[in-house]
């Protein structure tokens, strides 16, 4: 087992699973982590000709990230796709502490801890690639999904800063994937099923989003906004008043906004 090795989090479904498929096709042995079962992922990854280990673990905790990394002992980690993340719909004042804390700890604490632990040895040998799933949500005040959008604003900003810090290490790259609304389990798990955005039939294909991210990662790009409409939204974020963007997000994410009138 001396071949290329990649870790992908949030890999039991959605964008993470699609990233795992692309890594396997490129010959990477895989260590996959998620907080949900890998039933679907194991079926879809079967027979891809690489070694695959799955770990069901709570990536919102430092212990969970350590448990994941412990499975990689003895292997050089060539690629990390830090993709695990949660959303949380409804008004902030109605959300319980455990729920919004889990979003913050998964999207921020667990993510940057994994990045730091993987980045140190990569920098020491000047070799390695990291892909972090941010979001265009980080550019938009997310009414009725406020904590999630806030965490993605942190991730988008944090990765830009760290990318600058490591710019002299020409063998190490940090790429931020910034998708928009994507057809995954995210909306169901976040309690957004009755919203306009949750019921939107025009969500992006996670396979396309993952392909954009993987290609940017392999090319060593700093960041990639997946989808032309999302690129326009990011551009608008620098011009349109934030209060207007918050109101637009409200229309998409307010509970009941997707119910037929």
């Amino acid at each position: 087992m001396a071949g290329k090795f990649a870790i992908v989090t949030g890999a039991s479904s959605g964008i993470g699973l699609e990233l795992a498929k692309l890594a396997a096709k490129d010959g990477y042995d895989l260590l996959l982590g998620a907080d949900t079962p890998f039933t679907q992922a194991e079926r879809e990854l079967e027979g891809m000709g690489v070694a695959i280990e799955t770990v069901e673990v709570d990536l919102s905790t430092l212990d969970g990230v350590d448990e994941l990394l412990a499975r990689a002992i003895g292997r050089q980690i060539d690629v990390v796709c830090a993709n695990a993340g949660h959303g949380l719909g409804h008004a902030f004042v109605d959300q319980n502490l455990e729920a919004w804390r889990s979003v913050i700890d998964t999207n921020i604490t667990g993510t940057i801890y994994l990045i730091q632990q993987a980045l140190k040895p990569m920098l020491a040998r000047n070799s390695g690639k990291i892909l972090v799933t941010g979001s265009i949500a980080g550019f938009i005040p997310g009414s009725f999904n406020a904590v999630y959008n806030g965490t993605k604003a942190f991730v988008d900003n944090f990765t830009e800063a760290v990318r600058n810090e490591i710019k002299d290490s020409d063998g190490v790259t940090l790429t931020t994937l910034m998708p928009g609304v994507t057809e995954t389990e995210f909306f169901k798990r976040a309690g957004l099923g009755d919203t306009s955005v949750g019921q939107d039939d025009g969500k992006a294909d996670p396979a396309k989003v993952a392909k954009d991210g993987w290609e940017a990662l392999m090319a060593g790009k700093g960041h990639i906004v997946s989808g032309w409409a999302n690129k326009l939204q990011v551009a608008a974020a620098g011009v349109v008043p934030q209060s207007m963007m918050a109101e637009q997000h409200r229309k998409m994410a307010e509970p009941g906004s997707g119910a037929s009138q």
Side-chain angles (χ1 to χ4, degrees), residues 31 36 73 79 84 87 116 165 207:
L31 173 60
T36 54
I73 292 298
V79 165
Q116 187 181 54
E165 290 180 11

Side-chain angles (χ1 to χ4, degrees), residues 24-60:
K25 287 178 182 176
D26 278 0
Y28 285 84
D29 290 336
L30 296 174
L31 173 60
L32 308 179
D35 65 358
T36 54
F38 280 89
T39 308
Q40 174 189 351
E42 288 172 346
R43 286 197 304 266
E44 296 191 27
L45 291 166
E46 188 176 0
M48 298 202 73
V50 295
I52 300 174
E53 181 178 4
T54 60
V55 184
E56 191 173 337
V57 66
D58 185 356
L59 294 167
S60 72

Side-chain angles (χ1 to χ4, degrees), residues 114-125:
L114 173 62
I115 292 169
Q116 187 181 54
Q117 295 302 106
L119 194 56
K120 286 180 180 179
M122 288 181 177
L123 292 172
R125 66 175 187 265

Side-chain angles (χ1 to χ4, degrees), residues 82-103:
N83 171 75
H86 291 315
L88 184 64
H90 299 278
F92 171 66
V93 295
D94 296 330
Q95 296 167 352
N96 66 58
L97 169 61
E98 292 77 13
W100 62 254
R101 179 66 185 271
S102 178
V103 173

